Amino acid sequence: MKFHSPVKTGYYILEGSNSFATAYYFNYLMVLLHREHGFSSFQNLAVGAIHGFIYVAASWFAGRFGQKYGYFTSLRIGFLGMALSLACGWIFPSVTGQITALLSWTMTICFTWPMLEALVAEHEPPDRLPGRIGLYNVVWASSAAAAVFFGGSLFERLGPASLYWLPLILQLAHFAGTFFLEKRHINWLATSSSPLPPSLSTQVSRSRPDYFKTLSWIGNPFAYMAGNTLVAVVPSIAAKVGLTIEQAGQLMALWYIIRTLTFAILWQWHGWHYRITWFLGAFVLLIVGFVSVMITQQIWILVVGQILFGWATGLLYHSSLFYAMDGSETKGEHGGIHEAFIGLGIGGGPAISTLTLWISGSPHAPALAVGVSLLAGLVVSIEVWRRSNSTKRSAP
């Protein structure tokens, strides 16, 4: 049986283009809400919180839906749904129109990521799965970094309307592309339909402690909690350090770029697999990097903080997806669970920040509140690891 599938190149192209479209729309929607509708950091964070909590339920449902009714059916619902949502935001520029479009877009995007993750990972033997997941992460992360870096220029030069028509065109192209990819996928399965030999499908090159999946479910939401808090307050960071939106996009793309480089390193080097020191070390750097970026008014601290933050988010995300897929037979459903935990972070960070801003009114409240939450996550991770090892030592 041939394990390499030429059709997977199409999945990577679809993934990268989808990442560019979604990162451009969501990141610069926060800019549009701030500029066109006068949204404060408090209001942007509230919008981000609602978006995140809808993402949790939608991802959980979409993962199970795709596993039951087919990955390509789910993908088509997602791409067409996002296109219609973007059209709504373009046609109805009011605040109500924007929020309605965002929430609809949030529900439908969840039908895409779990399926793309599953399509890349399925029918891969254990020795090739890390490489597939590594390349998957490099592709989406590099596209997202490009969207953030060049997004400010696109927004300024093509106008705010490009926030809708550009991703809309891409999503319609994605929708059309699923028919071609599904046909190739069916043909490939028909010519290489032999199941993996039991020795290959079950063998593990090293021990896989169960608690690492639990740790990944803890770490990744906290990484997104910090990341999406940063996304919501980029306009205020830009104002604080005296940058235009274009300049802010280029500067704040640094942690996206570092995250991409981190994925590239982890893709090629597997020594971090199932090693607790790498996981906990990334958690520490996540806290330091986040607080530094949130509270500083110095460009050089923004740069150093983003380098630390980018490495930490890269390792925590890569861990989460790898541990979710490694040894899993229902990859669509597990992809949905992976994305649902991401949604907890996407909503949790802005929600905590919104609450503390409302209570205290201090501009530093989000940094302190989310920073303390990240510290609590680190403590919980250490306790999970400690208890798991204690149980293992006491077992007969």
Side-chain angles (χ1 to χ4, degrees):
M1 173 180 175
K2 294 182 179 179
F3 292 119
H4 175 69
S5 166
V7 76
K8 294 200 173 185
T9 301
Y11 304 150
Y12 288 122
I13 294 172
L14 203 61
E15 168 213 353
S17 181
N18 191 42
S19 179
F20 184 93
T22 55
Y24 178 51
Y25 170 69
F26 184 73
N27 281 269
Y28 286 92
L29 177 66
M30 295 297 165
V31 174
L32 182 139
L33 292 175
H34 174 74
R35 177 182 290 187
E36 303 291 333
H37 300 287
F39 272 38
S40 63
S41 290
F42 175 85
Q43 291 167 308
N44 271 0
L45 287 164
V47 170
I50 296 170
H51 157 73
F53 291 132
I54 289 176
Y55 196 97
V56 176
S59 293
W60 197 285
F61 172 81
R64 296 170 68 89
F65 177 92
Q67 194 69 49
K68 183 176 182 179
Y69 295 104
Y71 298 158
F72 290 95
T73 299
S74 180
L75 285 173
R76 284 192 275 272
I77 290 172
F79 292 138
L80 186 59
M82 282 192 285
L84 293 174
S85 301
L86 291 163
C88 173
W90 192 4
I91 295 169
F92 302 103
S94 65
V95 171
T96 302
Q98 298 308 302
I99 301 304
T100 301
L102 173 63
L103 300 186
S104 173
W105 179 87
T106 301
M107 287 186 283
T108 51
I109 191 179
C110 296
F111 285 84
T112 64
W113 289 124
M115 304 309 112
L116 290 169
E117 292 160 6
L119 284 167
V120 164
E122 277 204 329
H123 306 291
E124 295 293 337
D127 61 325
R128 292 197 183 185
L129 182 62
R132 285 296 189 190
I133 293 176
L135 179 56
Y136 175 89
N137 286 337
V138 170
V139 170
W140 76 256
S142 59
S143 295
V148 175
F149 185 86
F150 296 109
S153 301
L154 293 173
F155 188 86
E156 296 284 9
R157 296 173 190 181
L158 299 180
S162 66
L163 202 61
Y164 310 103
W165 61 257
L166 180 55
L168 191 155
I169 291 171
L170 291 174
Q171 298 302 358
L172 290 177
H174 300 156
F175 175 78
T178 59
F179 294 94
F180 171 74
L181 288 175
E182 183 176 25
K183 184 177 180 180
R184 292 191 66 190
H185 183 79
I186 293 171
N187 291 339
W188 176 69
L189 289 179
T191 58
S192 55
S193 57
S194 302
L196 283 172
S199 60
L200 282 178
S201 62
T202 58
Q203 76 176 23
V204 180
S205 58
R206 65 169 47 156
S207 63
R208 295 185 295 193
D210 290 339
Y211 66 82
F212 271 92
K213 186 171 288 188
T214 303
L215 288 177
S216 71
W217 287 343
I218 296 171
N220 204 32
F222 279 100
Y224 270 84
M225 179 183 291
N228 276 64
T229 300
L230 286 182
V231 168
V233 300
V234 163
S236 65
I237 292 177
K240 185 168 59 176
V241 297
L243 299 175
T244 66
I245 291 302
E246 185 174 358
Q247 291 169 335
Q250 293 168 351
L251 177 62
M252 296 304 293
L254 177 59
W255 74 266
Y256 289 82
I257 296 170
I258 297 299
R259 181 176 64 180
T260 303
L261 295 175
T262 301
F263 285 154
I265 292 170
L266 300 180
W267 170 29
Q268 297 298 321
W269 176 68
H270 302 161
W272 58 274
H273 290 178
Y274 299 101
R275 293 192 176 176
I276 189 64
T277 51
W278 285 91
F279 182 88
L280 296 179
F283 224 128
V284 172
L285 294 181
L286 180 75
I287 298 170
V288 175
F290 171 77
V291 174
S292 299
V293 173
M294 286 289 290
I295 67 174
T296 189
Q297 296 186 12
Q298 303 293 322
I299 297 293
W300 72 270
I301 297 179
L302 269 178
V303 170
V304 174
Q306 285 190 81
I307 292 172
L308 301 179
F309 190 76
W311 169 264
T313 54
L315 194 144
L316 291 174
Y317 181 92
H318 203 109
S319 297
S320 178
L321 186 56
F322 175 74
Y323 298 141
M325 294 296 180
D326 193 27
S328 166
E329 296 299 326
T330 54
K331 289 181 168 54
E333 186 173 343
H334 276 77
I337 295 171
H338 166 78
E339 292 294 327
F341 276 102
I342 286 176
L344 287 175
I346 291 174
I352 292 170
S353 300
T354 302
L355 180 62
T356 54
L357 266 178
W358 178 66
I359 294 173
S360 70
S362 169
H364 296 303
L368 178 61
V370 175
V372 170
S373 300
L374 298 180
L375 184 60
L378 174 61
V379 171
V380 170
S381 297
I382 293 173
E383 184 65 14
V384 168
W385 167 65
R386 188 188 66 80
R387 288 192 177 190
S388 298
N389 279 280
S390 297
T391 302
K392 190 180 298 184
R393 285 193 295 268
S394 62

